[in-house]
Amino acid sequence: MDKALSGVRILDFTHVQSGPTCTQLLAWFGADVIKVERPGEGDATRGQLRDIPGVDSLYFTMLNHNKRSVTLNAKTPRGKQVLESLIRHCDVLVENFAPGAMERMGLSWEHIHKLNPRMIVGSVKGFGPGRYEDCKVYENVAQCAGGAASTTGFDDGPPVVSGAQIGDSGTGLHLALGIVTALYQRTHSGRGQKVLAPMQDAVLNLCRVKLRDQQRLERTHVLHEYPQYPDGRFGDAVPRAGNASGGGQPGWILRCKGWETDPNAYIYFITQAAVWPAVCRVIGEEGWIDDEAYATPQARLLHLKPIFARIEQWTMSKTKFEAMEILNEYDIPCGPILSMKEIAEDPWLRKSGTVVEVDHPSRGRHLTVGNPIKLSDSPTEVTRAPLLGEHTEQVLKELGYGDKDVELLRSEGAI
Ligand code: COA
């Protein structure tokens, strides 16, 4: 019992990204995650975006670390029997099938609860109850329906979806929290329960500052920290804010030395009120410290564009890393725009275990993500994703199936 979730058995009936993110987190925390996949094909992501012919894709391997893989056709009578044994054997079932798919497999909540009253059933769906509850949903649909797309991008352009997979991985994270919370409640209630994380709701939860701004806009008709202020007109919905800071401290992305050829030679610069005098000194505008047009945060809101244009003259004379070093000396909050190449090579992210290398029988040694959540008493050791059906026999034996049973299941196409 050396890991936080040692002893917890997860029946992982997830596919694609949202559900697998959740179960991967639980596996990183030490749960025994048994991924159930269709014989022959497995999780569709095994074959998607492949970079090496015939080898499980990075899409799959990055979402399924530390798991075991069992192949099982849940639509055959014997496959269903095995699945029901797994339901009795496990603590949690996680699924993210299209609405109604579990019921079509004969696995309603009532049936699962009858088989194992302690089982927690965690589900990702695109939408919660309502007009879209029967819809199939992928990442970008959730970003659009959850308020992220309408508030991302520039005001003179179309809605934009983020590269951060807040709909899939974001929802998986929400579901994982719901599951461990339900596991905790079970320690005193003794009962399982349903845990639902709709993707629209998870994205909205992550976009809550925009719902805050919607109400501020309705009350005051203006959002002072948005780039549309003071020149532009506001409509009746929160506009796209470009790179404006979501909080009360104005910020913007500024060009750095080399921007003409390097698409990531930029820095995020925040003009935090507490360090305003330091900002003025660094850029050589000491006069702004006492000038009443710039001296207070309120006054500065009227001049954010010229202020950032002046700061940018300074940042353009430095690389993003040089600017970071100087600004950090003054406690000025800022951040380099890091490319994925820079992140992949970052020695500190590797040291912390957030970016790791693992071996894989057919892919070889490769780079992948590690657990971003660090528990001091339950350190994560990332192990590679399983091959399709790699643990079918091992798990069946743990369930009490003998060699002959396994052969029969195989001959009937159930595993
Ligand atoms: N044995 C037998 N059948 C299996 C099986 C197994 N081991 N595993 C899956 N299946 C079946 C399911 O029962 C389902 O059959 P049905 O359509 O006859 O009911 C079918 O495979 C596939 O399920 P479905 O979820 O509809 O897959 P899809 O590829 O058509 O849709 C999504 C993919 C992601 C759009 C859909 O699953 C979805 O909307 N999920 C919820 C939201 C979500 O998680 N989206 C984000 C994904 S990253």
Side-chain angles (χ1 to χ4, degrees), residues 15 17-18 38 72 74-75 96 98 104-105 136-137 168:
H15 65 155
Q17 184 179 168
S18 63
R38 264 178 293 197
L72 195 62
K75 285 183 176 157
N96 68 311
R104 285 193 289 279
M105 265 187 274
K136 287 188 174 183
V137 167
D168 280 340

Side-chain angles (χ1 to χ4, degrees), residues 13 16 52 80 83 102 166 240 252 261 287 295-296 308 345:
F13 218 2
V16 205
I52 307 175
K80 180 117 186 277
L83 195 62
M102 286 290 282
I166 56 176
R240 294 186 261 292
W252 202 251
T261 50
T296 65
F308 282 122
E345 292 164 359

Side-chain angles (χ1 to χ4, degrees), residues 130-141:
R131 61 182 166 159
Y132 297 133
E133 65 187 301
D134 292 330
C135 296
K136 287 188 174 183
V137 167
Y138 282 109
E139 170 70 49
N140 289 345
V141 176

